[in-house]
Amino acid sequence: MDTKHLGINSKLIHAGHRADPTGAVNVPIYQTSTFAFRDAQHGAALFAGEEDGYIYTRIGNPTIRALEESVAELENGCGGIATSSGMGAVSTLYLAVLSAGAHMVSTASVYGPSRGLMEKHFSRFGVESTYVDTSDLTQVRGALRPHTKLLYVETPANPTMQLTDIAQVSALAHAHGCLVAVDNTFASPYLQKPLDLGADVVLHSVTKFINGHADVVGGILVAKDPSVCKLLRSVMVNFGCNMDPHQAFLVLRGLRTLGIRIERAQRNALEIAHWLERQPEVQSVRYVGLASHPQHELAKRQMKGFGSMISFELKGGMEAGRRLMNALKMATLAVSLGGVETLVEHPASMTHAGISPEGRRAAGFSDGLVRYSVGIEDVEDLIADLRQALDAVATESREVATVR
Ligand SMILES: *Cc1c(COP(=O)(O)O)cnc(C)c1O
């Protein structure tokens, strides 16, 4: 069936779906490392690329391919490349685009390991990188050098919830002859389509929203141009960071419900964000769906919805942040995001503890910041959980003050 003209929820169910020879309604888990050739000519034709088919699972597998084709179609790209993890997708991108002497410009608050990989490892091969506030076009323009080959942005970014105008930075980077890649993990293809906005490559940690059930780690890349797809695939195959068929099956199963999960989670998120804004213990709330978000207009233009990631600042700083983590009962204290269950973490003492307090302030958030990934539970229960936790934090703070 041609699914190109369908709406996104129909695409989530039908895109990339090929009839299985057994009639299986769902794509089976082709749990095999290798595929038999009909005869010598068939094997030769597959290796020569003259015939479509399967050779070896690191190169391609029907279960993995179904996922790749689904996500490629959702992102309006020409082909998908599934990887072992989100970081596998980031490494594949860097390896494909950057050579010795090349330079990359990226978002200052980009996912930590995406920056660490560059600064600790690619730097050993003579690749340089600069991190700027990519929401500010002047900073992006100032960072571009003659040998800049890649502009790599993450929007919304973590945990600042800052947005980058994809169309604007893409036009600038293209005028400079450099490729644009977007980490679309926080938005998912349901809410944001970077390739339609001008980017060349989009990537996801499918561990998050696309799989959505906190039971798989995986990644995927989609490119707009067939030659870029081919290059990315060649790197993925040769560096061996392929996805595995069982992983692909689970991610496909999660993908089918992306729309209804996001619709519900973002409805919860908007209600919680409004509620948090009214709580006396909360200094500020960062949610792109709030009129108070400095880039709310850009969010409306660039995204189809506001998603379910919220950051909020507690007045009590580091201690209040730590106490809230221990006081929440329904929200699970864990990193990761985008699952059906609500997860909470405290960047200053956890994911961003490796950065100095000054560094964290420079990156745009305080030690009292809490990151809250809203799940699909009943919103009344989530709010009750937050209320009892904020009360517990206040009681504990008063007790400590009395003892002192
Ligand atoms: C989690 C995450 C990654 C890395 O993905 P893994 O699946 O953990 O390797 C990359 N980018 C963003 C924005 C993420 O949240």
Side-chain angles (χ1 to χ4, degrees):
M1 180 173 57
D2 179 20
T3 50
K4 294 266 185 306
H5 64 286
L6 298 176
I8 184 137
N9 286 290
S10 304
K11 274 190 182 167
L12 283 168
I13 311 298
H14 298 286
H17 201 286
R18 294 175 180 223
D20 189 78
T22 63
V25 168
N26 278 301
V27 58
I29 308 171
Y30 282 90
Q31 194 71 50
T32 182
S33 59
T34 195
F35 297 84
F37 308 137
R38 284 190 306 274
D39 50 33
Q41 286 82 345
H42 181 216
L46 287 173
F47 270 97
E50 291 159 0
E51 204 177 312
D52 190 26
Y54 300 99
I55 297 172
Y56 183 64
T57 282
R58 176 162 47 73
I59 304 172
N61 172 291
T63 317
I64 301 169
R65 181 143 161 194
L67 174 68
E68 291 173 334
E69 290 185 349
S70 299
V71 179
E73 195 171 322
L74 290 165
E75 289 284 9
N76 293 327
C78 76
I81 298 101
T83 53
S84 52
S85 68
M87 286 314 298
V90 178
S91 324
T92 300
L93 170 74
Y94 289 177
L95 283 161
V97 179
L98 302 165
S99 309
H103 175 244
M104 175 183 91
V105 174
S106 186
T107 309
S109 54
V110 72
Y111 184 69
S114 300
R115 181 165 177 169
L117 171 65
M118 188 49 71
E119 292 185 328
K120 285 199 204 79
H121 301 292
F122 277 76
S123 61
R124 295 189 283 115
F125 303 98
V127 177
E128 295 179 315
S129 53
T130 307
Y131 302 86
V132 295
D133 176 357
T134 48
S135 67
D136 178 354
L137 201 63
T138 314
Q139 287 195 33
V140 178
R141 192 179 290 114
L144 293 171
R145 301 183 195 166
H147 55 298
T148 305
K149 297 289 181 222
L150 177 65
L151 173 66
Y152 177 52
V153 304
E154 189 175 312
T155 178
N158 167 35
T160 58
M161 297 313 292
Q162 219 163 23
L163 302 182
T164 296
D165 188 326
I166 298 171
Q168 207 177 50
V169 296
S170 295
L172 175 68
H174 288 153
H176 197 84
C178 105
L179 208 76
V180 179
V182 175
D183 183 333
N184 200 23
T185 300
F186 268 47
S188 91
Y190 192 77
L191 298 179
Q192 178 169 276
K193 304 216 190 269
L195 301 184
D196 290 355
L197 295 164
D200 303 289
V201 178
V202 55
L203 71 83
H204 290 275
S205 163
V206 302
T207 313
K208 317 295 166 54
F209 288 98
I210 289 185
N211 178 62
H213 294 75
D215 52 10
V216 178
V217 168
I220 199 159
L221 289 146
V222 178
K224 190 150 60 183
D225 186 277
S227 66
V228 178
C229 272
K230 210 169 152 195
L231 177 64
L232 291 167
R233 178 163 291 282
S234 160
V235 170
M236 181 281 285
V237 165
N238 289 292
F239 279 83
C241 56
N242 58 286
M243 191 175 267
D244 138 301
H246 185 246
Q247 214 180 344
F249 170 83
L250 287 170
V251 178
L252 261 174
R253 189 162 77 162
L255 180 69
R256 304 282 183 233
T257 56
L258 179 69
I260 55 170
R261 284 188 282 110
I262 289 204
E263 292 291 354
R264 183 175 169 87
Q266 72 181 2
R267 210 166 52 233
N268 282 353
L270 185 63
E271 197 166 332
I272 291 170
H274 279 302
W275 180 84
L276 282 168
E277 272 196 317
R278 298 193 300 271
Q279 305 313 303
E281 299 87 348
V282 176
Q283 181 76 42
S284 62
V285 182
R286 302 175 190 211
Y287 178 59
V288 298
L290 290 176
S292 60
H293 190 284
Q295 295 164 298
H296 182 56
E297 288 308 313
L298 173 59
K300 283 204 265 188
R301 217 167 45 241
Q302 178 164 283
M303 302 171 72
K304 205 183 82 176
F306 304 121
S308 52
M309 293 303 298
I310 299 177
S311 286
F312 58 96
E313 226 122 7
L314 292 171
K315 286 182 181 158
M318 181 71 103
E319 258 329 291
R322 282 207 186 105
R323 286 181 187 139
L324 190 80
M325 296 303 106
N326 291 333
L328 284 164
K329 290 181 180 147
M330 186 145 144
T332 304
L333 174 55
V335 296
S336 200
L337 53 110
V340 291
E341 63 288 294
T342 296
L343 298 181
V344 68
E345 72 113 354
H346 180 222
S349 70
M350 295 166 190
T351 44
H352 297 68
I355 309 174
S356 66
E358 301 75 49
R360 288 194 291 267
R361 267 193 295 281
F365 64 96
S366 81
D367 290 352
L369 188 90
V370 171
R371 189 183 80 183
Y372 193 81
S373 168
V374 184
I376 63 170
E377 299 96 334
D378 287 303
V379 71
E380 300 76 20
D381 293 331
L382 290 172
I383 288 177
D385 184 36
L386 280 163
R387 189 58 260 164
Q388 68 76 26
L390 288 170
D391 286 341
V393 170
T395 309
E396 206 181 324
S397 308
R398 268 196 305 278
E399 279 164 4
V400 170
T402 318
V403 173
R404 275 190 194 136

